[in-house]
Amino acid sequence: MADLTYENTLRELHTDEGVLRYHEAGDGPPLLMLHGSGPGVSGWRNYRGNLAVFAEHFRCLVLEFPGFGVSDPTDQHPMMAAPAAVVRFLAGLGLEQVDVIGNSMGGIVAANLAIAQPNLFRRIVTIGGVGRNILSPGPGEGINLLMDFTDNPTRESLISWLHSMVYDRSIVTEEMIEERWALATEPKTLESARRMYSRKAMTATAAAAASSDQPPYWAMLHKITAPTLITWGRDDRVSPVDMALLPLRTLPRGEIHIFPNCGHWVMIEQKAAWESVVLAFLTRPDSE
């Protein structure tokens, strides 16, 4: 396969709510790849290292969520805007069912959609984040550092948050810090992040959830009928691994793989092992 670059994989889909940008590579069954949240995140940065491997088997579609500085911005809370963006995206491409990989926030978005539309996904892979804290404090260390950065965006607070994302700090290079800093401090992107991760926003979200009559998504995971693979880093300090206990028990067709010496970015920090496990799951015959 030819080298996959940012430029030669970037696409645009014009919708009635703005332009959705995405990266496309490969042929075969469609595989939707949904990124996580946090300062300077993008779908390309989450999955650029994995794209060539999966593009050998799938038509990979790496969607950029509104509110993170790549697709057109949104006035909504980014988490609230994301599921509708996925629905618009798939409809715009004429896709009725896809496989999906969701990292952290992307996994939660996929779970919510799978609860509401059981036939949307053939198979689901999540990377950390799906579930709720059972034994560990909530919010976790990484989320607290994320709130610190959002309220007071300094280079030092960005580095502290990035270090919380990984087991091996050498992964956090100067190049990573600089590219993350540039996007995270772009005014519209920072404004959007504050709707999601400022301490004020997080407190309001927790209060709304506590007073709501609607069950949280993690209490509805039993409604997900698609085979689901939960992947997690054993040393995740953003979404501690005990969060996986609830989905492991409640997902009817769920299974889990926990990777050692690995933080929140499993697809980066345990790249080869994670790719092997996920490809085996996605290509397993349906009869099994």
Side-chain angles (χ1 to χ4, degrees), residues 15-30:
T15 78
D16 56 0
E17 294 187 41
V19 175
L20 292 172
R21 295 182 176 87
Y22 65 102
H23 293 269
E24 181 173 0
D27 298 306

Side-chain angles (χ1 to χ4, degrees), residues 163 166-174 269:
H163 283 165
V166 296
Y167 176 82
D168 178 5
R169 289 189 175 194
S170 68
I171 291 171
V172 180
T173 62
E174 286 299 317
E269 204 160 9

Side-chain angles (χ1 to χ4, degrees), residues 1 26 29-30 42 68 78 89 95 109 117 135 150 171 176 187 191 197 201 210 214 231 239 248 278:
M1 178 173 293
S42 71
F68 291 88
F89 179 67
L95 298 172
V109 171
Q117 301 184 47
L135 303 173
T150 305
I171 291 171
M176 177 187 289
E191 177 187 349
Y197 279 127
Q214 296 296 315
T231 65
S239 304
L248 176 62
V278 173

Side-chain angles (χ1 to χ4, degrees), residues 1-287:
M1 178 173 293
D3 288 341
L4 302 177
T5 68
Y6 184 92
E7 291 76 15
N8 69 22
T9 60
L10 184 62
R11 311 282 187 270
E12 290 189 348
L13 177 68
H14 293 258
T15 78
D16 56 0
E17 294 187 41
V19 175
L20 292 172
R21 295 182 176 87
Y22 65 102
H23 293 269
E24 181 173 0
D27 298 306
L31 173 62
L32 177 65
M33 306 175 83
L34 303 178
H35 66 78
S37 61
V41 73
S42 71
W44 175 254
R45 290 171 186 172
N46 267 187
Y47 296 114
R48 60 188 169 192
N50 315 113
L51 198 54
V53 170
F54 285 97
E56 294 287 345
H57 305 269
F58 299 95
R59 177 191 178 193
C60 298
L61 302 164
V62 184
L63 175 62
E64 301 289 357
F65 287 131
F68 291 88
V70 182
S71 286
D72 280 359
T74 177
D75 292 332
Q76 294 180 275
H77 187 294
M79 179 66 87
M80 299 301 103
V86 171
V87 172
R88 291 199 312 278
F89 179 67
L90 295 180
L93 295 182
L95 298 172
E96 296 183 356
Q97 187 181 65
V98 298
D99 289 334
V100 64
I101 298 174
N103 173 43
S104 196
M105 171 188 161
I108 296 172
V109 171
N112 276 300
L113 285 167
I115 292 165
Q117 301 184 47
N119 295 320
L120 187 61
F121 302 130
R122 186 188 72 99
R123 294 192 181 175
I124 301 167
V125 178
T126 67
I127 308 167
V130 175
R132 69 162 302 172
N133 301 61
I134 302 295
L135 303 173
S136 57
E141 175 191 354
I143 299 298
N144 275 296
L145 290 170
L146 175 54
M147 290 188 282
D148 288 345
F149 173 84
T150 305
D151 284 339
N152 182 29
T154 66
R155 198 172 185 277
E156 291 71 25
S157 60
L158 175 64
I159 293 170
S160 294
W161 174 76
L162 286 169
H163 283 165
S164 77
M165 299 289 284
V166 296
Y167 176 82
D168 178 5
R169 289 189 175 194
S170 68
I171 291 171
V172 180
T173 62
E174 286 299 317
E175 180 183 7
M176 177 187 289
I177 293 165
E178 291 306 320
E179 70 175 7
R180 288 271 180 162
W181 174 257
L183 184 56
T185 54
E186 190 277 323
K188 287 186 179 296
T189 306
L190 184 58
E191 177 187 349
S192 180
R194 285 176 171 157
R195 290 199 293 272
M196 189 172 183
Y197 279 127
S198 67
R199 288 195 180 273
K200 180 179 179 181
M202 291 286 280
T203 299
T205 298
S211 63
S212 174
D213 292 331
Q214 296 296 315
Y217 84 91
W218 49 259
M220 304 293 285
L221 294 176
H222 61 281
K223 291 183 174 293
I224 296 179
T225 56
T228 302
L229 172 64
I230 305 163
T231 65
W232 221 291
R234 183 191 64 194
D235 307 288
D236 192 332
R237 291 151 56 201
V238 178
S239 304
V241 72
D242 63 275
M243 289 180 66
L245 293 173
L246 190 147
L248 176 62
R249 170 54 64 184
T250 55
L251 284 166
R253 304 176 72 186
E255 53 194 87
I256 188 167
H257 194 107
I258 297 174
F259 296 82
N261 304 326
C262 184
H264 194 62
W265 288 332
V266 186
M267 68 289 188
I268 295 172
E269 204 160 9
Q270 288 283 1
K271 170 180 152 50
W274 179 81
E275 289 168 351
S276 175
V277 168
V278 173
L279 279 172
F281 172 75
L282 292 177
T283 59
R284 182 189 304 166
D286 287 335
S287 59

